[in-house]
Amino acid sequence: MLRTLTVFLFSIFLSIHVSTAKAVQSGKYKVINTDGFVQHEGKRTQLETKRKPGLATVEHAPDDSLFLDINGSTIRLFPIENGLAALKWNSQGTTLLHDTDVLALIEVGDPSNVAAWGADLAWPDTIRTQLVLFTLSSNAFAGFLVSETEGKTIVRQMEFRQVFGPSNRPHTSTHSNVAAKTR
């Protein structure tokens, strides 16, 4: 598994390009760690997730890279050629998003039409850490932070959202609809 994740993440950085469409809005986002696991000696153990949202700011650069400011640190993420189609991950046996989940959520049939960005990060006490983000909608994206330490791989799944709740929710409240029906 460690080899699979390493190959997956290494391959995305070999395919970086500069023509990904600006599929995500610049601005402030709420960030939630939604899932994760630690893999050690071939065994995966689910991480406990804290549902308290953090805040991040996303800004587009002229070369279509993204600047992600989170917890006072700014990370530059570069566009990945072929988007989601360039990313392969093994979420088997976990509740992490699968590539088919992402395609179903955003109703896109071709994974190369899902914009993605990635970067290697300097992270304390790790051999290698990489961050990959991909679009879910114009105001939401998801991603994985994958860290390798001596003998362990730690995977965290995150969601970034500008709007919480169903995107197709009507603009009138339930209370106002009930009042209108009783008149």
Side-chain angles (χ1 to χ4, degrees):
M1 171 60 197
L2 180 60
R3 176 186 257 172
T4 303
L5 282 172
T6 302
V7 170
F8 145 67
L9 290 169
F10 181 72
S11 69
I12 67 171
F13 298 105
L14 294 177
S15 62
I16 293 176
H17 78 109
V18 184
S19 64
T20 305
K22 292 183 181 178
V24 176
Q25 295 178 17
S26 292
K28 297 209 180 284
Y29 285 78
K30 290 184 180 180
V31 182
I32 296 178
N33 287 321
T34 55
D35 204 355
F37 66 86
V38 175
Q39 181 161 328
H40 180 65
E41 296 179 354
K43 181 181 177 191
R44 290 183 180 181
T45 306
Q46 188 165 350
L47 288 173
E48 185 175 324
T49 56
K50 296 178 182 171
R51 298 294 178 151
K52 182 179 178 185
L55 293 175
T57 303
V58 174
E59 296 295 330
H60 285 277
D63 67 354
D64 207 26
S65 59
L66 295 179
F67 286 100
L68 174 65
D69 183 29
I70 188 165
N71 295 331
S73 297
T74 301
I75 301 166
R76 187 174 187 180
L77 299 161
F78 298 92
I80 299 171
E81 186 174 353
N82 294 322
L84 190 65
L87 307 177
K88 304 292 180 222
W89 65 95
N90 181 353
S91 54
Q92 183 177 3
T94 70
T95 55
L96 292 175
L97 288 170
H98 295 60
D99 54 352
T100 55
D101 297 329
V102 175
L103 295 175
L105 283 169
I106 61 177
E107 299 177 344
V108 171
D110 183 356
S112 65
N113 290 333
V114 180
W117 297 263
D120 283 316
L121 306 176
W123 204 269
D125 302 322
T126 64
I127 297 168
R128 183 179 190 157
T129 300
Q130 296 174 314
L131 177 62
V132 176
L133 300 178
F134 48 89
T135 59
L136 292 177
S137 71
S138 64
N139 61 5
F141 53 99
F144 297 107
L145 178 67
V146 180
S147 304
E148 295 176 29
T149 64
E150 193 65 41
K152 288 184 190 175
T153 300
I154 303 164
V155 178
R156 287 181 174 82
Q157 177 178 282
M158 304 161 288
E159 285 190 33
F160 295 70
R161 295 194 178 270
Q162 286 185 319
V163 177
F164 276 64
S167 60
N168 61 347
R169 186 175 188 178
H171 293 287
T172 58
S173 71
T174 305
H175 186 341
S176 65
N177 288 341
V178 171
K181 290 179 182 176
T182 58
R183 289 184 187 173

